[in-house]
Amino acid sequence: SATCARLRAAGIDVAIGHDASHIMPGDVVIYNAAITQDNSEFARAVQMGLRRIYRTDFLAALMGDYPFAIGIAGMHGKSTASAMLSHILLHACKDPTVLIGAELPEIGGAFRVGHGDTFVFEACEYKDSFLSLRPTIGVVLNVEMDHPDYFKDMTQIITSFRRYLALPGPQGHIVVNADCIEAMQAAQDSPSQAVTFAIEHRAAFQAVQIRLEKGLPSFWILHDGEPFCEVELQVSGQHNVMNALACCAAAYLCGLQAQE
């Protein structure tokens, strides 16, 4: 695939499939939530006594001391919103570091190493992976039932998102969908400073005067009830209006103004 070709061009050996022989002597083995302890490669790493680091723990270490570490969470829309926010930051010359779960043509893949003060990443809820991260700005697009192999009910899901929204702490911020009851429940009692976005409900960032031109939305964003900027999206659907609102709020918290 194109992904494998890029990795190989960067000097990285790529092995297709899982086999214990792929694990060689080294310093560290990084694994993600899809890998169980009976995986042949994981078992080999244990046998060899190699250091093993969970992917989100490694990602948290990569964040280091970024002043603006922006985690995009939610049951759907993470890749799209991460791409939108990356686009905003790139065009505002913020030189962001980006790690998302989909190919973004603008950065030639799914990651970008920048030299600015912002790090945009997807915060995956599966098996509570996002609880190992260290966002300074935690974004929640939506909270719904998903991953029934791990989450047994909505109570467990809301509890997980509540813990995620506590991660930025009193000095950090959270960006929450005010049109999603479950997201607002998760945001209750968060020690972080909350910023809301919505279409239907009153929120810090609200979309009004939504119009469609050949299926593509355009609208005004109000910030605390005052006109902030006009947006014309190149992607369709009201869900993308919500994604754009979340990204606008996150960009504002990074110090960007509408004209940037």
Side-chain angles (χ1 to χ4, degrees):
S1 68
T3 299
C4 290
R6 279 194 297 271
L7 291 171
R8 288 174 172 139
I12 298 172
D13 291 332
V14 178
I16 305 299
H18 293 263
D19 191 283
S21 64
H22 295 157
I23 300 299
M24 305 296 289
D27 296 322
V28 175
V29 171
I30 299 170
Y31 65 99
N32 66 15
I35 301 301
T36 58
Q37 294 193 9
D38 60 357
N39 175 276
S40 60
E41 295 179 0
F42 187 90
R44 176 63 172 164
V46 172
Q47 182 185 37
M48 295 175 66
L50 299 180
R51 185 182 180 192
R52 302 172 301 282
I53 301 179
Y54 192 44
R55 176 185 177 274
T56 46
D57 292 331
F58 182 68
L59 178 56
L62 286 180
M63 292 173 196
D65 298 318
Y66 280 90
F68 303 108
I70 310 157
I72 309 291
M75 294 324 204
H76 50 83
K78 292 187 289 293
S79 295
T80 301
S82 297
M84 282 184 175
L85 182 56
S86 300
H87 176 82
I88 293 171
L89 296 170
L90 284 166
H91 284 265
C93 299
K94 292 287 284 183
D95 194 13
T97 292
V98 178
L99 184 59
I100 62 178
E103 299 286 309
L104 178 58
E106 195 167 11
I107 62 175
F111 69 93
R112 177 185 191 273
V113 178
H115 298 89
D117 58 2
T118 55
F119 190 158
V120 179
F121 57 92
E122 290 190 32
C124 180
E125 72 285 345
Y126 184 51
K127 294 187 178 179
D128 287 334
S129 294
F130 58 1
L131 299 183
S132 298
L133 301 174
R134 295 188 295 172
T136 63
I137 300 173
V139 179
V140 171
L141 302 172
N142 41 69
V143 177
E144 300 173 4
M145 189 64 204
D146 201 356
H147 307 300
D149 60 320
Y150 179 75
F151 292 115
K152 304 308 178 187
D153 52 37
M154 282 303 302
T155 298
Q156 183 185 357
I157 291 174
I158 292 172
T159 298
S160 292
F161 274 86
R162 182 175 290 122
R163 293 171 64 193
Y164 171 73
L165 288 172
L167 295 177
Q171 304 305 314
H173 292 83
I174 58 175
V175 177
V176 185
N177 181 352
D179 286 343
C180 178
I181 295 173
E182 293 79 6
M184 293 299 288
Q185 289 175 341
Q188 288 179 356
D189 303 321
S190 171
S192 308
Q193 303 171 65
V195 175
T196 54
F197 65 94
I199 295 176
E200 301 296 334
H201 292 80
R202 188 68 180 266
F205 287 86
Q206 186 170 9
V208 297
Q209 299 177 28
I210 300 174
R211 310 172 299 281
L212 293 177
E213 181 67 30
K214 295 182 179 179
L216 302 179
S218 60
F219 52 96
W220 272 92
I221 294 179
L222 304 183
H223 180 216
D224 292 335
E226 298 294 328
F228 184 70
C229 67
E230 188 174 14
V231 177
E232 296 181 0
L233 293 181
Q234 299 303 305
V235 287
S236 61
Q238 183 167 295
H239 59 291
N240 277 316
V241 175
M242 297 298 286
N243 289 336
L245 283 170
C247 294
C248 181
Y252 180 80
L253 292 174
C254 292
L256 296 184
Q257 297 298 318
Q259 62 270 22
E260 297 179 89

